[in-house]
Amino acid sequence: MARQRKSPEELRSHRWYGAQDLRAFGHRSRALQTGFAREDFAGKPVIGIINTWSDINQCHSHFRQRAEEVKRGIWQAGGFPLEMPAITLSEPFMKPSTMMYRNMLAMETEELLRSYPVDGAVLMGGCDKTTPALLMGATSMNLPAIFMPAGPMLRGNWHGEPLGSGTDTWKYWAELRAGNITDNEWREVEEGIARSPGHCMVMGTASTMTSLAEALGFTLPGAASIPAADSNHSRMASYTGRRIVEMVWEDLKPGDFLGAKAFDNAIVTTHALSGSTNALIHLIAMAGRAGVKLALERFDELSRHTPVLANVRPAGQKYLMEDFYYAGGLRALLAQLRDLLNLDCLTVNGRTLGENLEGAKVYNSDVIRSRDNPLAASGGLAVLRGNLAPDGAVIKPTAAEPHLLKHTGRAVVFKDYNDMAARIDDANLDIDANSVIVLQHGGPLGGPGMPEWGQLPIPKKLLAQGVRDMVRISDARMSGTSYGACVLHVAPESYIGGPLAFVRDGDLIELDVAARKLELKVSATELAQRRAAWLQPAPHYLRGFGALYERHITQAHEGCDFDFLHGGAPTPDPEIH
């Protein structure tokens, strides 16, 4: 059904540009100062382009050009583009972690859109946390908004073999530590693993979250799968610019398409991709901004009925995102899952998800598997509970060695990252392949910022014996490009006195993924005694953003959003005086 169109006088920006008073005089005169004519902005939708380009974020190195292509589309559709730089979250460089600053970008996005004469927004992101941050801010502001994904980089290459960013970093780092490759070969891998603009080209956090943005209805159909270097990506940017102008006239806002059914679609998509474990945290936070209460149990319910169809590393066997695009991309995968999706959910192009999937085809059935030949019948991600994780933990079963999915071993405990780094390769460390490596103080407060430490390194002496996977448990996250039997996001975290804080060397820990169980085999009486002797660590920060973060961050099962940013009554627009 066609939506009623706004009049120019109903545009939000009209309050800044259209009034006949002193303040509007100043707004118009400053626009003219920039070299724009009245005809450029008068009565036209003002589109804020939230651009996370920066020299420090190589994943977004093409965003200067893409911003111009978005502007071209906006001009063509009769809008007035304003580019607004926002803090970038560069996954390789930002410390202590990009997760610590996700909420800062979300806040900046929301306040940029609220404080300026913006009618609609194009959100330019892709590198890991930029996607959820931008969507969270835009959802809270609830203006017409559309997401323009950065796109994956081209596949890497070393000696004729494809390289996957992150995934092959961990692989060849282990081989270097084991003495199986030389320093020169390691340098060659370094030089060949990232060779174009775009985010990681495995099914890591970046590819997962941009795909989920599409599944939620926040992008044009097919946008998330296009490689950054492909000319189709440039055209997609211009189409995005054209579409946001129409969205403003139609008043199509995130609140019109982000409901519980849309988030179910995103969860099904996560499992079918065997996507990043980080998706759980981000989707819970994003849902909270939309007023949708999303519990970990919902992820597990949908996991049990959703097959893994994307044969893309790290869960897959050999393919990368470039192959996924050529095989038909996300639309082709979702078309295989129509019976598991809510096809009536609205999307930013004004059509439903089901309509957007019409005509989608799979062109390589080894990359995008059929329902009768899945990579796994279910369980792209699994939520665990038990006395070690009363509020939950997560594991990616498809990325672990199968024999470790039901395992009991004695704990080897590291009190923090520095303790682990100092002792993990000690030849005298009492550890074997059946041990369970435990890292404490890696959570939202303990890290701080819940860094991606969860793919804990295997001791060098075990690597030399051929060991490549072990059960590893922490309250940290891990990169979506990582793999292994890594139990993550243990909640509550050890820093605030969660049970993980009380694990000691030699304790037996039971992991049973099929039963969704994570148990510390210590009596309740002993645990109570350890808890009574525990002391709260000192805070990391006494001032600045860090202090704000520590006061208001929530735990992993709550999405790690700030407690004052969850969905609620809308913040009013500013008065103009």
Side-chain angles (χ1 to χ4, degrees):
M1 186 175 68
R3 301 174 68 90
Q4 183 174 351
R5 293 176 69 84
K6 284 184 173 181
S7 68
E9 293 72 27
E10 292 175 307
L11 293 173
R12 184 173 179 269
S13 60
H14 182 78
R15 298 174 57 226
W16 275 263
Y17 292 117
Q20 298 304 316
D21 57 21
L22 178 62
R23 289 298 174 213
F25 168 91
H27 302 149
R28 291 189 295 268
S29 70
R30 294 303 184 179
L32 295 167
Q33 176 188 9
T34 316
F36 293 113
R38 297 178 193 275
E39 293 80 8
D40 290 331
F41 59 85
K44 295 184 177 181
V46 177
I47 307 301
I49 303 171
I50 309 299
N51 191 351
T52 52
W53 174 89
S54 170
D55 276 333
I56 198 63
N57 194 337
Q58 295 72 30
C59 301
H60 298 176
S61 62
H62 55 314
F63 270 13
R64 277 183 166 175
Q65 177 182 340
R66 292 297 179 273
E68 295 305 313
E69 290 156 349
V70 170
K71 290 177 187 177
R72 182 176 68 204
I74 293 169
W75 286 118
Q76 289 170 343
F80 180 54
L82 293 175
E83 188 175 352
M84 297 177 171
I87 185 174
T88 200
L89 308 179
S90 178
E91 196 65 36
F93 287 96
M94 199 173 209
K95 306 301 177 188
S97 78
T98 54
M99 189 65 188
M100 183 163 171
Y101 296 99
R102 181 199 67 183
N103 298 340
M104 176 184 277
L105 175 56
M107 292 172 70
E108 183 179 16
T109 300
E110 180 179 351
E111 299 308 326
L112 278 172
L113 299 179
R114 176 173 294 112
S115 59
Y116 285 112
V118 172
D119 298 304
V122 174
L123 313 168
M124 297 179 61
C127 185
D128 288 25
K129 316 306 178 294
T130 60
T131 299
L134 291 166
L135 300 192
M136 288 161 66
T139 299
S140 293
M141 184 57 202
N142 203 33
L143 288 179
I146 188 170
F147 182 65
M148 195 222 78
M153 69 177 88
L154 301 178
R155 64 174 73 91
N157 186 276
W158 180 56
H159 294 182
E161 293 294 322
L163 292 175
S165 50
T167 303
D168 279 319
T169 303
W170 322 128
K171 172 184 173 180
Y172 286 109
W173 174 241
E175 296 306 318
L176 180 69
R177 293 173 65 230
N180 294 333
I181 64 171
T182 66
D183 287 338
N184 186 61
E185 288 172 320
W186 171 246
R187 181 173 178 174
E188 291 174 347
V189 172
E190 182 180 294
E191 293 169 349
I193 201 164
R195 57 190 192 90
S196 82
H199 57 66
C200 291
M201 77 307 249
V202 296
M203 191 56 71
T205 303
S207 295
T208 299
M209 293 312 302
T210 55
S211 296
L212 299 192
E214 183 172 332
L216 284 167
F218 245 118
T219 78
L220 293 178
S225 305
I226 307 171
D230 194 301
S231 61
N232 286 300
H233 198 270
S234 295
R235 286 190 285 275
M236 178 271 292
S238 291
Y239 291 143
T240 298
R242 288 197 283 276
R243 178 55 195 159
I244 187 59
V245 175
E246 289 303 305
M247 288 176 66
V248 170
W249 291 126
E250 296 167 6
D251 199 28
L252 177 55
K253 306 179 296 295
D256 297 320
F257 57 85
L258 289 183
K261 294 200 299 182
F263 281 98
D264 275 356
N265 287 342
I267 295 171
V268 168
T269 303
T270 303
H271 292 310
L273 296 171
S274 195
S276 170
T277 50
N278 290 302
L280 279 75
I281 294 176
H282 297 317
L283 282 176
I284 290 170
M286 291 159 64
R289 296 298 188 96
V292 175
K293 182 68 174 177
L294 192 54
L296 283 177
E297 281 73 20
R298 189 58 177 158
F299 289 87
D300 210 54
E301 291 168 10
L302 295 174
S303 171
R304 294 177 184 273
H305 305 290
T306 305
V308 178
L309 300 185
N311 187 10
V312 178
R313 299 178 69 198
Q317 297 167 358
K318 62 179 179 179
Y319 297 112
L320 300 170
M321 286 300 294
E322 193 176 345
D323 306 298
F324 184 70
Y325 174 60
Y326 301 146
L330 185 67
R331 289 180 63 245
L333 179 136
L334 295 181
Q336 304 275 85
L337 301 166
R338 294 177 70 95
D339 59 308
L340 301 180
L341 297 169
N342 298 295
L343 299 175
D344 58 343
C345 287
L346 191 63
T347 71
V348 291
N349 71 344
R351 305 177 73 204
T352 65
L353 177 64
E355 289 171 328
N356 289 339
L357 298 181
E358 291 175 2
K361 295 180 180 179
V362 174
Y363 300 107
N364 186 330
S365 59
D366 193 36
V367 179
I368 301 175
R369 298 290 186 87
S370 62
R371 294 285 287 273
D372 57 6
N373 183 34
L375 197 68
S378 63
L381 300 174
V383 174
L384 310 171
R385 290 191 185 271
N387 69 347
L388 191 52
D391 292 331
V394 64
I395 189 172
K396 183 188 287 192
T398 50
E401 292 190 6
H403 73 278
L404 294 173
L405 299 180
K406 184 175 175 62
H407 181 83
T408 300
R410 60 183 180 86
V412 177
V413 182
F414 299 98
K415 64 182 180 180
D416 55 32
Y417 187 89
N418 290 332
D419 179 35
M420 181 197 68
R423 296 195 293 124
I424 193 69
D425 286 334
D426 187 337
N428 296 317
L429 183 67
D430 184 14
I431 192 169
D432 59 40
N434 292 314
S435 299
V436 175
I437 303 176
V438 175
L439 175 69
Q440 299 166 334
H441 293 168
L445 286 164
M450 207 176 183
E452 293 183 340
W453 295 338
Q455 190 188 17
L456 306 175
I458 293 170
K460 186 181 292 185
K461 67 181 181 182
L462 297 183
L463 288 172
Q465 297 170 19
V467 177
R468 292 296 181 271
D469 199 5
M470 297 174 65
V471 174
R472 291 159 275 181
I473 301 174
S474 73
D475 44 14
R477 297 175 301 111
M478 77 174 182
S479 167
T481 68
S482 300
Y483 52 89
C486 302
V487 177
L488 311 157
H489 311 178
V490 171
E493 65 173 305
S494 54
Y495 183 90
I496 64 171
L500 190 69
F502 313 132
V503 182
R504 296 180 180 175
D505 284 340
D507 289 346
L508 290 180
I509 296 177
E510 179 187 5
L511 169 66
D512 188 339
V513 174
R516 301 301 198 258
K517 184 167 70 171
L518 184 66
E519 285 285 327
L520 177 64
K521 309 301 257 183
V522 171
S523 70
T525 301
E526 173 65 18
L527 273 181
Q529 292 173 349
R530 294 181 187 182
R531 181 177 285 107
W534 176 78
L535 298 175
Q536 170 73 52
H540 294 282
Y541 300 98
L542 298 178
R543 61 168 301 279
F545 177 76
L548 173 73
Y549 173 93
E550 289 192 330
R551 283 196 296 270
H552 294 288
I553 196 68
T554 59
Q555 288 290 291
H557 67 291
E558 300 168 305
C560 296
D561 201 359
F562 289 156
D563 53 18
F564 60 85
L565 292 176
H566 295 164
T571 303
D573 266 351
E575 296 181 2
I576 301 176
H577 298 303

